Amino acid sequence: MNSVNFDYKLVAADNFDDLLTRHGMVAETESALSLVMSKGRSLIQARGGEGKSTLANRLVAQAIADQGQGLFLRSLDWANVLSTSTGGSNAASELAILIGQHSIASTKDALIVIDGVNEVSRDLSERVIEAADLVAARNPRWSFVLTDRLHRRDLALSDWALFTLTQVSPGLVRQLVPGSSAGVTTAILQNPFYLDRATQGNLGSATRASQHEEYLRIHSSVEGDDLASLGAFAFAQYSERATRSIDARQASGQLSPSLLERITDSGIYVADENPHFEHHLIADYLAAQHVAHKQMALTYEVLDALTFKATSFDALALLLDLDSRAADDLVRSVYDWNMYGAGYLLSEDRASASKISVEMEAVVIGMLGDRQYDLFPATSTQVRDALRVIDTDLAAEVLAASDRWAIASMIETAIPDTRSDWFEHWFDTFKSSSQVEHQDLVAQLTSSDSIVGWAASNAARRSANLGAESESFRRILIESPYVQHRWRAAHVLGATGHVESVSALLTALDNDESVWVKYGSIRGLIEIAAKHDTLSALVLGSLARRAGSVGDNSILAREVARALPLTVVAPDWPEVTEPLVSALWARARSVSEQDTWARLGASVRKYAEK
Amino acid sequence: LSQLVGRFGHARVVVLTVISAEFLAMQRALSANDEVGTSGAFTSTGSIAKLGGKPVFPFVVMQLDDRSNTPAASSLRRAVEYFRPEFVLLVGVAGGIIRLTADGLHDGPALGDLYIATYVHYAEYSKSDSEGRHQRYYPIQQPSINLVNHALAISRNPVKSWLEGIQVSPPAEAHVPSIHSGEVVVVEAVAGDPEAESQRFFIDHFDHAGAVEMESNGVGRGLADLADNVHYAPQWLTIRGISDHVFATSELSDVDNHEERATWKPYASAVASAFAKALVYRLLSTTREEVDGDPGAVPWPPNPAEIPVVSAARETVDTEGAS
């Protein structure tokens, strides 16, 4: 809870387009509560530290004052229970039991906050939302507020109220922290988490990471070896547990008694039933600090650990503050792993220190912009959301671009003539027509520079000779020792229409050690099935026979659910995809998982009708 | 008390319709022209009482978000959350399954007849392997025996007053709807191709089913999901007018039923709506006993003469395109 009543407020948005750009009506607590109680469910989405929990707490306090009943729960507090139950229906029962344990009567109105939906894994966060949705339907006297990161969710908007937050006004920041100058520091301090730190400890650091560093030093005397030790512990917890909850026994075993006592006494470490750090940004800082301090290679494994497999990107922004490696190189590494992560990094950077070059900004925006014309509507929507959140002039222009040529023209205009060689190299590939030499593309696809590699992967998909020359890419997919190269090759092969490509992608789906290569392969397979009638039965039948392994892997299952609903597709797409949906439904382990696949079938039919 | 109070109050009966033509037919039959707040639900009267401080309505009429089971489940969930009804009626059209009897006759409901579902089979999502297709099952709440009996009581009444509520002329001369009851098969797409392997499968597999439609599984599934305590157990029923025929084999007919459905749908919707109206008023004529925490419900309307009279004059109504 902020120690001072900062002047940020809830903003009620009509839809996710508005929410992501902070458009909507400012709502005072009373009117927001009224909206929540009428709908029964609401999301408050904002960046880390922007005050979601504080305002949710304020709503609960108001509900208790008005109705006598309110409850504040943390997602982490029942993550352990949820992770052992199956499906949203079971999660709803667990949630109802938990609420009952807090003596909340179903005979009276009550507001229940579930804080930190973004602090558990993506699978659990979806089940938390499903559970709240169902419990609200079962108990019309109860209404829910869930706090979450900025992220489009697949929800029936007629049933949900959406909120985001305004930032703290620059005037108040200057008033509360007189030492802050216009610009970087003020921008950071418009985030209530950092402003609160600054007002409590007279901290006025230039970056978010240095604020954490000072805070830990002042409040717990954590610095030097202690900081390194705590960072190593936090990163190990992220890697092993894939959640922000902490194993108390490991904390006792791995941290010195003195350090553990200090962080416990200062409240930085909360040793309750579900031990955790005081705020998820502190945990993210510590994990990122370890990666930066050790100069760890930014492999897929490291990035997966820092972000819970691309669920929450806050740690990446802190890494950008902390890491002595060039900011553009960090973006390269992140882009190679997850383009949305690179987009998030850029958006955070542009809201603070602007360490990323304008050339790299153009690269990230250009590459994201190119994907807004993707075959898969889910991808198109997600990249457009990423561009909205980046919120720069170029991102806004690219959002309105009609095609890749228009994007190239915008970049041409935006970037000065004095360009880096690497940028020219990337831009040539980005602009390339369908006549690029095959060997050049193969060489570029395996470039150690990820942005060139992915630009080449996209260019190869446009290549006029792709059909005849796809053997090279199949070999990379199956034989390359580099996971990045295999994923880029899988991306290329989705644009081919050969049975040999199908075979290679299925082999990668079955055998590749990286889930991200499997992910790229399943996308490629569905793309082939959608574009080539003659291969659709083969591909979808093959995937149906793999329903067990696909359905058991949450990343692959989610990608199937994202990729199958298509608009630009043959009219019989619902019928040809039916064996796959049916097989996934038949192997489902719970009724709510059956519901998930039934909803996918409905979604495929609805999209195909568009 | 709270178990019967939804976000918009309480309605003893919620009538769910599928497409706009069916909604308009039902709305007209019940004179349900007043929306309850912004709920999307319509009723013919204002609040007739208060329950838990919220209004009570004898009935409301709502339209599903869309055809098929997934929208039906989400719409049902919303209807229950809004109104916590005692009874849910799903009203619309269905395909009548025509089978060949042992003596070579066609057997099944006629076009324009009424079909009451006593049991819902879900035919989608089976497991297929080298040995063929294996049915898989999905927990749902089945239609209420009590409501089936209420419906059959109406059908057995020698005074067929409900027929007067049919506001659309039948495409065929002098058609008088018969009432059938039995199993229904639920699928996810319109059934009309007797050559289709999936259609042959469900007609063979569910060999007692007399009709096929696309929403009842969603309603039953939604209700099963909402059942979480002993104090609230709404009953439901599906009422369908037969708008087309689904043939067991192509020997019976190889004609696509699209045109037939377009022709009969307005009348079949009107038949279902008229019957549903009769059932709504029958249910509202019953008393819900007062118990601790629930003041109960008295028969409505207090004076049966207040039941709105719908003109017996039949007319042709505009309908949406064929589904």
Side-chain angles (χ1 to χ4, degrees), chain A residues 37 40-41 89 106-107 133-134 136-138 140 142-143 158-159 582 585 591 594-595 601-602 605-606, chain B residues 2-3 5-7 66-67 70 77-78 81-82 84 125-127 136-139 188 221 225-226 228:
Chain A
M37 299 301 281
R41 323 145 170 82
S89 196
S106 63
T107 51
D133 186 31
L134 182 52
R138 287 174 173 173
W142 293 353
S143 298
S158 54
D159 298 336
S582 208
W585 191 92
V591 177
Q594 286 179 316
D595 285 338
R605 285 186 291 276
K606 194 166 183 64
Chain B
S2 70
Q3 296 301 329
V5 181
R7 293 192 192 277
D66 202 350
R67 292 177 302 164
T70 297
R77 186 187 276 197
R78 192 175 301 124
E81 182 181 335
Y82 284 3
R84 302 293 277 186
Y125 302 129
S126 51
K127 180 182 180 183
R136 290 289 183 267
Y137 301 93
Y138 202 34
E188 295 287 1
R221 175 81 194 95
D225 235 1
L226 293 174
D228 72 334

Side-chain angles (χ1 to χ4, degrees), chain A residues 213 216 222-232 259 285-286 289:
Chain A
E213 186 181 340
L216 287 163
V222 172
E223 55 187 328
D225 289 346
D226 280 345
L227 183 60
S229 169
L230 199 54
L259 175 57
Y285 163 75
L286 289 168
Q289 193 274 342

Side-chain angles (χ1 to χ4, degrees), chain B residues 264-289:
Chain B
W264 280 88
K265 192 166 62 178
Y267 178 70
S269 296
V271 168
S273 302
F275 188 86
K277 176 188 172 185
L279 182 55
V280 166
Y281 278 98
R282 180 183 172 88
L283 295 173
L284 292 174
S285 72
T286 63
T287 298
R288 187 175 77 231
E289 292 295 333

